[in-house]
Amino acid sequence: MTNLTIAMHGVTGRMGTHQHFVRSILAIMRQGGVRAANGEMILVTPILLGRNETKLRHLAEVVADQEIGTQVAWSTDVDAVLTDPRVDIVFDASSTQMRVSIVRQAAQQGRAVYCEKPIAVDVSQAMVLAELCESAGIKNGVVQDKLWLPGVCKLRALRDEGFFGDILSVRGEFGYWVFTGHDPDRPAQRPSWNYRREDGGGMMLDMFCHWQYLLGDLLGPIDRILAHATIDLPERIDEVGNAYPCTADDSAYAIFVTESGITCQFNCSWATRVRRDDLLTIQIDGTKGSAVAGLRDCWVQEMAATPRPVWNPDIPQPIDFHSGWQKLPDTTTYDNAFKVQWELFLRHVAADEPFPWTLRRGVDGVALAEAGQTSSAEQRWVTLGGSP
């Protein structure tokens, strides 16, 4: 049996609290740990780190007790915890601007590092972190949760069984309306730093990292990108009620072309209202069939069920296009995507099991976001240089 102590920095935010702390680490503690392939049981002991004592105390003492029947440790002394020899893993889910210093401190102390994406605000910083971890000889990883979403798992299975035939194109729609906070009855659902470029915010930097590893896994590496970004809502209200100007893009649109020649179009916006099946939908069209996946569900249409429409705007549409799609059944039980990757990383640290999603992979995500920013600013196609 191995017990890994995890210093969790930045878990007072939305993603850190719900996905990493409650639905991953506390869930792992509640199930009694993670069993490695060699039979070894891996237990975890978290220490919550941050600046907000009130939020940390609530998570460590109230939320933890509700979820697992006991409290966990917390501290606002980040330096003391990162230098504590009892710490095995340092996890960071804070703002992108803070990530460099946290990862650097952890690597210098010889701790394993696991962090949210993007790993840095630009490629040069991302490369420094990846090389620092490699030279320190520490195990490291970056969150790439969408690989284990049930909807994406179903797309992957369809691809593997040859359902699509030759894949022709991909279309992704992501986003929803994020309230500005001007109406106190409708507070913003995302932190204010997301909309300040100087704090590491922006749709491209946030979401293009996801599309890089997602498309890479499903279709192969991206060769080039044409992108456009906008600031649709110029002012928002921060966490203390003050108005601030938005300096980072809240909408971004891109055409990605893979090295195999597949065209992928993605629309991303925090200023759009949803009329689709989910907050993220991905449609893959092929010569034999098409599929549309949301976060959990997936619908398919084979060639035999494909309708034969005729353009005629003078009459009501006679075809119910939704009825020709079949919802795939769940053939297995899907765990939380973040938790799945956490368990893989814990097995990697404790039992040396494979974990390819390193900070070096995280550099690729930042490279795509940076290429998108260049494309938008210069209004041109940008070819990626390949994986570093």
Side-chain angles (χ1 to χ4, degrees), residues 12-270:
T12 56
R14 175 183 53 88
M15 192 70 68
T17 292
H18 298 294
Q19 298 295 350
H20 291 290
F21 181 53
V22 175
R23 297 172 192 168
S24 294
I25 296 303
L26 291 185
I28 289 170
M29 296 174 73
R30 186 169 54 245
Q31 73 186 22
V34 177
R35 189 169 297 281
N38 61 10
E40 178 183 16
M41 182 59 73
I42 306 166
L43 307 180
V44 293
T45 300
I47 304 173
L48 307 188
L49 290 179
R51 296 169 294 179
N52 192 314
E53 179 177 335
T54 301
K55 290 183 178 180
L56 288 170
R57 184 186 297 275
H58 175 74
L59 290 174
E61 298 179 3
V62 178
V63 174
D65 188 61
Q66 291 172 345
E67 293 289 330
I68 62 172
T70 188
Q71 300 179 2
V72 301
W74 62 275
S75 176
T76 57
D77 193 340
V78 176
D79 292 338
V81 173
L82 295 187
T83 56
D84 188 333
R86 294 172 296 179
V87 171
D88 301 292
I89 298 171
V90 173
F91 169 71
D92 182 63
S94 62
S95 67
T96 309
Q97 292 282 32
M98 297 183 65
R99 190 153 299 131
V100 173
S101 63
I102 296 297
V103 172
R104 179 179 287 114
Q105 283 181 269
Q108 291 171 346
Q109 295 296 323
R111 313 285 183 249
V113 167
Y114 188 45
C115 68
E116 264 289 352
K117 42 58 49 196
I119 64 173
V121 297
D122 57 46
V123 172
S124 61
Q125 284 189 352
M127 282 294 296
V128 167
L129 294 184
E131 292 172 353
L132 181 62
C133 290
E134 290 168 357
S135 62
I138 62 171
K139 292 177 177 176
N140 62 91
V142 61
V143 175
Q144 298 194 341
D145 58 287
K146 288 175 177 50
L147 294 175
W148 294 275
L149 287 172
V152 172
C153 291
K154 293 169 185 176
L155 287 178
R156 190 182 300 117
L158 289 169
R159 178 205 62 188
D160 291 345
E161 67 186 40
F163 168 82
F164 298 107
D166 294 332
I167 294 177
L168 305 173
S169 63
V170 177
R171 184 169 69 253
E173 295 283 344
F174 166 80
Y176 47 93
W177 190 272
V178 177
F179 289 94
T180 63
H182 288 91
D183 182 349
D185 294 329
R186 293 182 171 183
Q189 311 99 295
R190 298 180 65 88
S192 59
W193 69 263
N194 281 176
Y195 304 95
R196 292 191 292 264
R197 184 179 179 87
E198 61 272 21
D199 291 335
M203 177 64 82
M204 278 192 182
L205 186 58
D206 186 6
M207 296 310 300
F208 281 23
C209 294
H210 284 301
W211 310 149
Q212 183 275 326
Y213 69 74
L214 188 59
L215 292 174
D217 177 75
L218 289 172
L219 308 171
I222 295 171
D223 176 69
R224 58 192 183 276
I225 177 177
L226 180 66
H228 176 67
T230 63
I231 300 175
D232 287 330
L233 301 178
E235 182 183 88
R236 293 179 179 269
I237 306 299
D238 65 18
E239 290 76 7
V240 295
N242 296 324
Y244 67 94
C246 298
T247 55
D249 50 296
D250 56 4
S251 295
Y253 312 91
I255 298 174
F256 310 109
V257 179
T258 69
E259 291 182 359
S260 59
I262 299 172
T263 300
C264 310
Q265 175 187 326
F266 272 69
N267 298 322
C268 317
S269 178
W270 287 316

Side-chain angles (χ1 to χ4, degrees), residues 311-368:
W311 179 268
N312 188 350
D314 298 321
I315 63 172
Q317 177 55 249
I319 300 175
D320 178 2
F321 291 105
H322 286 86
S323 66
W325 293 79
Q326 177 185 0
K327 183 179 177 181
L328 291 181
D330 289 339
T331 57
T332 187
T333 300
Y334 296 98
D335 208 342
N336 177 278
F338 290 85
K339 178 172 175 281
V340 171
Q341 194 178 9
W342 260 109
E343 292 183 347
L344 291 170
F345 187 69
L346 294 174
R347 293 188 183 105
H348 176 58
V349 173
D352 205 28
E353 293 185 23
F355 191 87
W357 307 281
T358 62
L359 263 67
R360 180 69 61 165
R361 289 281 188 90
V363 175
D364 295 343
V366 178
L368 182 63

